[in-house]
Amino acid sequence: MTHLAWNAKEATVGELAERSGVAPSALRFYEREGLIGSRRTTGNQRRYSRDTLRRVAFIRTSQRLGIPLATIRDVLALLPEDRTPTREDWARISECWRDDLHRRIRTLRRLRDNLADCIGCGCLSLDRCVLSNPGDELAAHGPGPHRLMED
């Protein structure tokens, strides 16, 4: 078991994996996808800068929120390359999807509230159910669950 020293400027893939709680294979995947970067030693071993820990934590948290990796990559590209990101940098990039998160919260609340009604009705009132679409009356609005996704 290798430990990342508190004053280490760089980490091996094993040290970063242990400290971040993310498997080495996931770290290599993140790198292939352009989410994190590393430098290579003369022996072709990866070395990650210490601030990569923050990036990995941000990626994992964003994934838990349901943010797609492509969106995470786009936002991480806004961080400075020449220095460790500051609290202000992180706050600025998190604003990029505040509106999207609010929309998701509204949708999840609507789903939660309507599922409670649906479970209670026993599917006897499909004419007013927001999850069904009797007679496909909403087809004119295009694909998707329109009653559920209304804002």
Side-chain angles (χ1 to χ4, degrees):
M1 185 179 280
T2 59
H3 293 287
L4 181 60
W6 69 270
N7 59 349
K9 296 206 184 303
E10 291 186 321
T12 65
V13 69
E15 290 168 336
L16 185 61
E18 181 182 339
R19 180 67 180 89
S20 68
V22 175
S25 58
L27 294 172
R28 289 187 289 272
F29 173 76
Y30 290 162
E31 190 170 351
R32 275 193 313 274
E33 293 297 312
L35 297 161
I36 61 174
S38 69
R39 74 168 184 88
R40 297 296 180 118
T41 66
T42 55
N44 203 30
Q45 295 176 332
R46 290 176 169 87
R47 293 295 185 266
Y48 297 95
S49 63
R50 182 151 188 113
D51 63 291
T52 304
L53 274 171
R54 291 183 185 173
R55 289 177 186 257
V56 171
F58 182 80
I59 293 164
R60 298 296 288 186
T61 301
S62 301
Q63 286 182 300
R64 285 189 186 123
L65 295 173
I67 308 290
L69 283 179
T71 304
I72 297 168
R73 181 186 328 102
D74 293 344
V75 170
L76 285 173
L78 301 174
L79 288 174
E81 295 280 335
D82 57 338
R83 63 174 169 78
T84 300
T86 64
R87 181 179 302 241
E88 291 77 22
D89 292 325
W90 290 109
R92 178 177 46 83
I93 67 167
S94 68
E95 286 293 321
C96 292
W97 52 61
R98 182 175 295 275
D99 290 342
D100 181 52
L101 288 175
H102 284 302
R103 183 188 54 73
R104 289 172 188 241
I105 290 168
R106 284 192 306 272
T107 300
L108 287 170
R109 283 184 179 149
R110 187 176 304 109
L111 177 60
R112 176 201 62 204
D113 295 346
N114 289 317
L115 278 178
D117 289 343
C118 185
I119 291 168
C121 83
C123 292
L124 299 176
S125 58
L126 290 177
D127 59 327
R128 63 183 176 89
C129 180
V130 297
L131 301 177
S132 72
N133 183 15
D136 201 18
E137 62 192 47
L138 297 176
H141 297 284
H146 293 282
R147 290 181 178 155
L148 181 62
M149 302 303 287
E150 293 173 348
D151 278 330

